[in-house]
Amino acid sequence: MMPDMNPALLLRAYAAGVFPMAESADDPDVFWIDPELRGVLPLEGFHLSKRLARTVRSDRFEVRCDADFVGTIRGCAESTEQRRKTWINREIIALYSALNREGFAHSIECWHAGALVGGLYGVALGGAFFGESMFSRERDASKVALAHLVAMLRRGGFALLDVQFVTPHLQRFGAVEIPRAEYHRRLEAALQIKAYFAAGLEGATVVSDLQSSTLTS
């Protein structure tokens, strides 16, 4: 791990447009990433499918914010059949847990029958939210968490949702790649915004708030 890595340095890195990753969960070292093409999910262009809208509206999951941040990041670090290798090591868990205690990192969690079954986490800075990772132990849990996140960010006045890299999964929700220079321009503008994290939305409210997004089958 970088010897001077700490929460304050991590926040400065995000403000400069770079983020940390480890090679694997077992690798103690952390390195900085500033990709040539950056993945973003336009908050006004979130693709909410009809099926997901029904699931969100049903409140099948109890959605909580920051109730178990450490459990969420550890869930994201788990190896699964679909994702055998993860980049979240112990240093990453410790750093982001410290940011959560300071009010900068947040988790959106899906609970069912008293158990944490999915969610995501990221960092909020000004009007930018930097999504880090998500996980599911039950079908659609991470998707419901993402829908709640987008609705919360829109309601709270955020301007930028950074997803780092575009995957086929995120592409279905409207994620796109933009050049590094364009990303830095958007980031600079977003950091000037005084946004707030609008937690505690009901499923029906989330769907209503996302209705201006493209509703797909």
Side-chain angles (χ1 to χ4, degrees), residues 82-122:
Q82 294 76 28
R83 184 182 61 184
R84 295 191 178 279
K85 184 178 179 181
T86 70
W87 53 270
I88 302 171
N89 62 13
R90 287 184 297 176
E91 289 75 13
I92 293 285
I93 293 173
L95 273 171
Y96 286 85
S97 297
L99 279 186
N100 172 252
R101 292 190 295 271
E102 294 179 9
F104 292 102
H106 298 283
S107 57
I108 310 299
E109 309 151 8
C110 286
W111 293 74
H112 186 230
L116 176 63
V117 296
L120 58 84
Y121 78 97

Side-chain angles (χ1 to χ4, degrees), residues 45-141:
F46 182 74
H47 295 171
L48 180 70
S49 71
K50 292 179 180 178
R51 189 181 69 81
L52 181 57
R54 288 194 297 269
T55 302
V56 173
R57 192 183 290 111
S58 73
D59 288 324
R60 176 160 65 93
F61 300 111
E62 179 187 355
V63 179
R64 306 177 188 175
C65 177
D66 294 334
D68 188 358
F69 182 88
V70 174
T72 301
I73 192 171
R74 289 189 183 280
C76 292
E78 289 174 353
S79 176
T80 67
E81 288 187 6
Q82 294 76 28
R83 184 182 61 184
R84 295 191 178 279
K85 184 178 179 181
T86 70
W87 53 270
I88 302 171
N89 62 13
R90 287 184 297 176
E91 289 75 13
I92 293 285
I93 293 173
L95 273 171
Y96 286 85
S97 297
L99 279 186
N100 172 252
R101 292 190 295 271
E102 294 179 9
F104 292 102
H106 298 283
S107 57
I108 310 299
E109 309 151 8
C110 286
W111 293 74
H112 186 230
L116 176 63
V117 296
L120 58 84
Y121 78 97
V123 174
L125 199 59
F129 189 87
F130 308 89
E132 287 295 317
S133 188
M134 60 177 65
F135 80 103
S136 283
R137 294 175 182 144
E138 288 191 13
R139 183 180 179 182
D140 292 337

Side-chain angles (χ1 to χ4, degrees), residues 71-213:
T72 301
I73 192 171
R74 289 189 183 280
C76 292
E78 289 174 353
S79 176
T80 67
E81 288 187 6
Q82 294 76 28
R83 184 182 61 184
R84 295 191 178 279
K85 184 178 179 181
T86 70
W87 53 270
I88 302 171
N89 62 13
R90 287 184 297 176
E91 289 75 13
I92 293 285
I93 293 173
L95 273 171
Y96 286 85
S97 297
L99 279 186
N100 172 252
R101 292 190 295 271
E102 294 179 9
F104 292 102
H106 298 283
S107 57
I108 310 299
E109 309 151 8
C110 286
W111 293 74
H112 186 230
L116 176 63
V117 296
L120 58 84
Y121 78 97
V123 174
L125 199 59
F129 189 87
F130 308 89
E132 287 295 317
S133 188
M134 60 177 65
F135 80 103
S136 283
R137 294 175 182 144
E138 288 191 13
R139 183 180 179 182
D140 292 337
S142 65
K143 296 177 183 177
V144 169
L146 181 60
H148 272 259
L149 173 68
V150 172
M152 290 162 58
L153 297 181
R154 287 174 58 164
R155 185 167 284 228
F158 282 79
L160 177 66
L161 173 51
D162 174 3
V163 296
Q164 300 178 348
F165 302 106
V166 174
T167 64
H169 177 69
L170 289 173
Q171 208 167 23
R172 290 197 293 269
F173 296 103
V176 296
E177 289 182 330
I178 59 175
R180 180 189 293 145
E182 172 65 13
Y183 171 77
H184 282 273
R185 185 191 68 77
R186 295 191 192 185
L187 174 61
E188 184 178 1
L191 292 175
Q192 307 308 310
I193 297 172
K194 189 175 182 180
Y196 68 97
F197 210 63
L201 302 180
E202 296 293 330
T205 302
V206 169
V207 173
S208 176
D209 283 359
L210 296 177
Q211 286 305 304
S212 59
S213 299

